[in-house]
């Protein structure tokens, strides 16, 4: 849940590192730091052509802007590594900031992940006389590598030997002042991507740090290391140093995707990008001729699809809630039992993996650690796993047997919006595909195809109500908490709406099925606790309106999100959305709740794109 960037080439590294860290700050923003290898004054070239160097380090608690203020304009050095941190071991502080150095100031390390045996290693190193200066697990790595990097030992060999003693997860970049012609990077459970330039090389934990400089990237696999030099790279396994063959892929995301484009925040920009992101998710996948979805990436023919008797969807956070919505779509359209579960719980309960169950893993980044571990557990036990991810070439995408890319484009704000909506659309396509393989009629398939095609314009209609939604958010923002309710199709929408409000405004929010109010939550209702009610115009409309009556009878305020204006006695306020097909309505009902959460956060002067205690990509447990 941190950001790594590294550079080696003919340019000064510091400006490139700082710019890369700014692009990665959404992954962690407690502290930041850089280390640059600079030639020692008067040093003579070594026999291997590399000049001895010294490490220049700047690091600071706070944002990347605070770090940049500490870096002088002349901070020469053509090899460097940088890091922006989200704290796991040790509080945010200057001392706990990365990079971490060994005692001699020769080895610098930046690290994402958690070293589980750090305490044991620390005790052994301290017994050998090593003095630690931080509370972090990462500092262990710097000292351990230094102890192994004896005279004549190549840096990559010392790093590989150190990693054999490590238990845990890591994405690391290592710099050695005595071997400044290279950077060594490694991955195990935390992403590392190489960027290939013209006589220069980059490495990062996320392609967002690279797209300004190159579109050619190489993704490391778990248990793999790379030595990166200005003129190229070589990759090899940790276990036996066996060379591995890697083919570069081309990143299709534009540099402009990492700019707010005139919006006040990335979150608002990404909410407004949803008509286009949904169009990309749908592009080439709606088959009107046969009233189905064309999903060649599933790598599964019709006979294989018919053999599955149930579907299990796994994700974390908003990906889990989109999975709940997807499970309902699959049950409605394909008539196959479907269920969503948090990936973080699934992997620890020794799940029964069934041959006739199709597993679907959901992750925007494609690197979510809990979800990746669940995928690996399923595959170990012989299960079939599809991935629904946004990031091409990511670990989950590579691990799965097939799947769908969302093509939603980069999502920078910590709170997911366009990726959530595109995931819901992806599940509608999967449900349509499975439905037509089973018993969904051509007429119903055609109806869903038409509904999918209508979504982008209907989202534009909702976004046109921005001013009204902003006013409502300002009205409700100062309440200490809010209740969100929905029934059947509306319940996953209510859960995601509550999640968004909590994430960005810090207003406590709980979501319950509307049918459960009488079974406990109704005790909370009163003037001080407003309710956001998700009320689609479907077969349960009357039952949902009855729930609103129960709330109003207890002096509760109600903001209804639905398709038809309610009686004023049932809802004090309402946000109306266009009507689509009943199965697809939840996709649209979620959009105004994104705007509501955003404007509530703005009214409360929150840090919208970087909410406290959270990071975008959760690559640790």
């Amino acid at each position: 849940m941190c950001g790594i960037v590294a550079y080696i080439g003919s340019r000064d590294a510091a400006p490139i590192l700082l710019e890369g860290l700014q692009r990665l700050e959404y992954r962690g923003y407690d502290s930041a730091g850089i280390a640059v290898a600079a030639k020692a004054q008067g040093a003579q070239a070594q026999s291997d052509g590399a000049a001895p160097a010294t490490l220049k380090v700047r690091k600071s608690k706070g944002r990347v802007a605070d770090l940049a203020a500490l870096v002088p304009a002349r901070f020469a050095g053509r090899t460097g590594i940088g890091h922006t941190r989200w704290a796991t071991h040790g509080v945010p502080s200057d001392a706990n900031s990365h990079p971490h150095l060994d005692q001699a100031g020769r080895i610098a390390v930046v690290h994402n992940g958690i070293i589980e045996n750090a305490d044991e290693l620390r005790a052994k190193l301290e017994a050998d006389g090593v003095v630690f200066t931080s509370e972090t697990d990462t500092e262990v790595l710097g000292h351990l590598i230094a102890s192994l990097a004896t005279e004549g030992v190549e840096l990559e060999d010392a790093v590989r030997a150190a990693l054999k003693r490590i238990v845990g997860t890591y994405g690391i970049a290592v710099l050695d002042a005595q071997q400044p012609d290279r950077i060594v990077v490694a991955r195990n459970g935390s992403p590392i991507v190489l960027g290939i330039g013209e006589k220069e090389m980059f490495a990062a934990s996320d392609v967002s740090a690279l797209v300004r400089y190159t579109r050619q990237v190489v993704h490391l696999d778990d248990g793999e290391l790379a030595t990166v030099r200005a003129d190229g790279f070589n990759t090899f396994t940790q276990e036996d140093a066996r060379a591995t063959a890697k083919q570069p892929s081309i990143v299709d995301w534009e540099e402009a995707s990492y700019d707010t484009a005139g919006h006040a925040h990335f979150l608002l920009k990404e909410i407004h990008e949803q008509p286009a992101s949904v169009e990309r998710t749908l592009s080439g996948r709606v088959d009107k001729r046969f009233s189905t979805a064309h999903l060649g990436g599933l790598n599964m023919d019709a006979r294989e699809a018919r053999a599955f008797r149930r579907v299990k969807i796994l994700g974390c956070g908003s990906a889990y809630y989109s999975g709940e919505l997807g499970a309902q779509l699959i049950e409605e359209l394909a008539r196959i039992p479907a269920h969503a579960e948090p990936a973080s719980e699934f992997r620890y309960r020794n799940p029964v993996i069934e041959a006739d169950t199709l597993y679907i893993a959901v992750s925007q980044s494609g690197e979510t650690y809990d979800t990746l571990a669940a995928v690996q557990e399923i595959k170990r036990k012989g299960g079939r796993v599809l991935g629904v991810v946004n990031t091409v070439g990511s670990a989950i995408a590579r691990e799965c047997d097939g799947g769908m890319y969302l093509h939603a484009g980069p999502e920078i704000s910590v709170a997911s919006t366009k990726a959530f909506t595109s995931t819901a659309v992806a599940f509608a396509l999967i449900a349509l595909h499975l439905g037509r393989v089973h018993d969904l009629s051509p007429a119903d398939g055609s109806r869903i195809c038409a509904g999918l095609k209508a979504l982008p314009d209907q989202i534009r209609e909702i976004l046109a109500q921005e001013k009204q939604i902003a006013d409502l958010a300002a009205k409700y923002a100062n309440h200490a908490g809010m209740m969100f309710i929905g029934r059947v199709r509306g319940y996953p929408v209510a859960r995601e709406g509550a999640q968004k409000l909590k994430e960005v405004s810090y207003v406590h929010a709980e979501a319950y099925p509307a049918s459960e109010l009488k079974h406990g939550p109704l005790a909370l209702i009163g003037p001080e606790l407003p309710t956001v009610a998700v009320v689609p115009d479907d077969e349960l409309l009357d039952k949902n309106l009855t729930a609103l009556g129960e709330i109003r009878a207890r002096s509760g305020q109600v903001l209804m999100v639905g398709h038809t204006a309610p009686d004023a006695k049932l809802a004090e306020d309402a946000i109306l959305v266009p009507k689509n097909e009943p199965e697809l309505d939840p996709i649209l009902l979620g959009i105004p709740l994104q705007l509501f959460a955003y404007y509530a956060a703005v009214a409360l002067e929150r840090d919208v794109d970087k909410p406290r205690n959270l990071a975008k990509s959760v690559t640790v447990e």
Side-chain angles (χ1 to χ4, degrees):
M1 296 173 67
C2 311
I4 286 174
V5 63
Y7 172 79
I8 184 167
S10 60
R11 293 187 272 180
D12 276 340
I16 296 170
L17 298 176
L18 290 171
E19 196 273 341
L21 292 179
Q22 287 172 342
R23 290 179 182 267
L24 291 175
E25 196 168 17
Y26 69 98
R27 294 178 64 101
Y29 38 85
D30 292 337
S31 59
I34 61 172
V36 170
K39 290 183 180 179
Q41 294 296 318
Q44 299 298 313
Q46 295 176 333
S47 59
D48 64 359
T54 58
L55 295 185
K56 297 193 294 187
V57 179
R58 294 290 187 277
K59 55 184 187 173
S60 171
K61 175 185 174 182
R63 300 296 172 86
V64 174
D66 300 317
L67 169 66
L70 297 176
V71 178
R74 297 179 63 83
F75 200 71
R78 297 178 179 180
T79 306
I81 58 178
H83 188 269
T84 181
R85 180 174 184 251
W86 186 88
T88 52
H89 287 69
V91 299
S93 68
D94 291 354
N96 289 334
S97 305
H98 298 214
H100 288 287
L101 276 63
D102 70 311
Q103 285 189 138
R106 171 190 166 185
I107 303 290
V109 179
V110 292
H111 164 234
N112 295 345
I114 294 177
I115 300 173
E116 295 174 11
N117 62 335
D119 290 343
E120 174 189 343
L121 293 170
R122 186 183 188 110
K124 290 180 180 178
L125 288 164
E126 287 177 331
D128 292 336
V130 171
V131 177
F132 282 76
T133 60
S134 79
E135 305 168 281
T136 69
D137 55 342
T138 301
E139 191 181 354
V140 166
L141 270 173
H143 296 301
L144 186 57
I145 293 169
S147 71
L148 298 165
T150 53
E151 184 71 27
V153 175
E154 299 290 330
L155 177 61
E156 43 269 70
D157 293 331
V159 172
R160 194 169 68 84
L163 293 179
K164 286 188 173 183
R165 305 184 185 186
I166 295 297
V167 177
T169 60
Y170 52 80
I172 62 169
V174 185
L175 181 60
D176 182 353
Q178 293 186 12
Q179 300 178 52
D181 62 331
R182 72 196 73 180
I183 298 169
V184 175
V185 296
R187 171 193 172 127
N188 183 48
S190 192
I192 292 291
V193 185
L194 309 183
I196 304 169
E198 186 66 32
K199 296 184 178 179
E200 59 184 359
M201 286 287 297
F202 308 83
S205 52
D206 190 306
V207 295
S208 61
L210 309 178
V211 292
R212 181 175 179 181
Y213 304 102
T214 181
R215 298 294 177 82
Q216 291 192 79
V217 301
V218 169
H219 295 264
L220 293 192
D221 292 316
D222 283 348
E224 195 169 32
L225 294 84
T227 300
V228 180
R229 292 182 168 86
D231 59 356
F233 69 96
N234 61 287
T235 57
F236 50 95
T237 62
Q238 179 199 319
E239 183 63 30
D240 55 8
R242 175 176 47 83
T244 56
K246 309 294 287 191
Q247 292 299 317
S249 58
I250 304 300
V251 177
D252 60 1
W253 291 352
E254 300 291 333
E255 183 185 348
S257 300
Y258 300 92
D259 186 272
T260 58
H263 293 88
H265 299 93
F266 278 108
L267 182 56
L268 185 61
K269 177 197 177 192
E270 289 157 10
I271 290 171
H272 278 275
E273 286 177 336
Q274 288 177 111
S277 61
V278 168
E279 284 172 343
R280 288 195 298 271
T281 303
L282 292 171
S283 180
R285 289 167 166 164
V286 178
D287 185 346
K288 293 196 293 184
R289 179 184 177 188
F290 295 106
S291 304
T292 189
H294 178 69
L295 303 176
L298 300 188
N299 298 330
M300 183 170 59
D301 63 27
R303 183 169 296 179
E304 290 175 295
R306 282 192 64 87
F308 291 110
R309 300 267 66 86
R310 60 187 57 81
V311 176
K312 170 80 76 173
I313 302 170
L314 303 169
C316 297
S318 291
Y320 164 48
Y321 299 138
S322 69
E324 289 191 313
L325 198 157
Q328 289 191 5
L329 281 162
I330 290 168
E331 286 203 344
E332 285 195 89
L333 297 180
R335 304 307 299 153
I336 304 172
H339 174 68
E341 182 177 345
S344 52
E345 294 292 310
F346 175 84
R347 59 183 288 242
Y348 281 117
R349 62 174 182 79
N350 192 22
V352 177
I353 305 303
E354 300 168 302
D356 62 354
T357 296
L358 177 63
Y359 298 88
I360 304 178
V362 188
S363 170
Q364 187 282 135
S365 67
E367 301 287 352
T368 308
Y369 183 77
D370 287 313
T371 308
L372 176 60
V375 170
Q376 293 167 339
E377 179 70 8
I378 294 165
K379 293 197 71 178
R380 270 193 295 269
K381 295 182 176 180
R384 179 77 169 263
V385 194
L386 302 180
V388 176
V389 301
N390 193 35
T391 305
V392 175
S394 56
I396 292 173
R398 298 197 307 273
E399 283 277 356
C400 288
D401 300 299
M404 287 181 64
Y405 284 119
L406 300 177
H407 302 304
E411 191 174 68
I412 306 302
S413 184
V414 167
S416 180
T417 51
K418 65 178 181 177
F420 174 85
T421 302
S422 283
T423 302
V425 172
F427 274 120
L429 289 164
I430 292 171
L432 173 61
H433 174 75
L434 293 176
R436 290 290 289 124
V437 166
H438 285 79
D439 300 318
L440 189 72
S441 70
D444 277 331
S446 180
R447 176 176 62 83
I448 298 301
C449 286
L452 289 168
K453 286 290 191 181
L455 285 173
D457 284 338
Q458 290 181 314
I459 294 172
R460 292 183 179 96
E461 289 183 49
I462 296 169
L463 296 177
Q465 301 179 60
E466 184 173 359
K467 176 61 168 63
Q468 176 208 349
I469 296 170
D471 291 343
L472 288 170
K475 172 182 175 180
Y476 288 98
N478 287 309
H479 288 83
M482 296 191 74
M483 180 86 77
F484 284 70
I485 63 169
R487 194 170 188 136
V488 186
R489 296 186 185 103
Y491 181 49
V493 179
R495 296 193 76 182
E496 172 62 11
Q499 171 95 338
K500 282 291 152 289
L501 189 66
K502 283 184 283 194
E503 282 180 311
V504 298
S505 75
Y506 317 150
V507 173
H508 180 71
E510 291 292 336
Y512 283 93
S515 56
E516 284 288 301
L517 279 177
K518 295 186 291 295
H519 299 282
L522 204 57
L524 296 172
I525 296 299
E528 69 286 349
L529 184 71
T531 298
V532 176
V534 181
V535 184
D537 186 3
D538 59 13
E539 68 277 7
L540 296 173
L541 177 61
D542 289 341
K543 293 186 180 296
N544 276 317
L545 294 178
T546 297
L548 302 193
E550 293 171 349
I551 294 169
R552 294 293 282 163
R554 290 156 179 82
S555 302
Q557 299 179 72
V558 174
L559 167 60
M560 194 195 89
V561 180
H563 299 115
T564 56
D567 188 304
K569 295 179 181 178
L570 297 180
E572 189 171 334
D573 297 294
I575 301 171
L576 302 184
V577 303
K579 185 80 177 74
N580 198 297
E581 298 301 325
E583 299 91 342
L584 302 179
D585 280 334
I587 298 171
L588 296 171
L589 290 165
I591 305 295
L593 297 183
Q594 297 172 353
L595 284 169
F596 183 83
Y598 170 77
Y599 279 107
V602 169
L604 294 169
E605 299 182 345
R606 307 304 192 205
D607 192 345
V608 175
D609 285 329
K610 302 180 182 73
R612 68 188 184 197
N613 304 331
L614 300 178
K616 181 66 175 174
S617 181
V618 183
T619 57
V620 296
E621 289 192 80

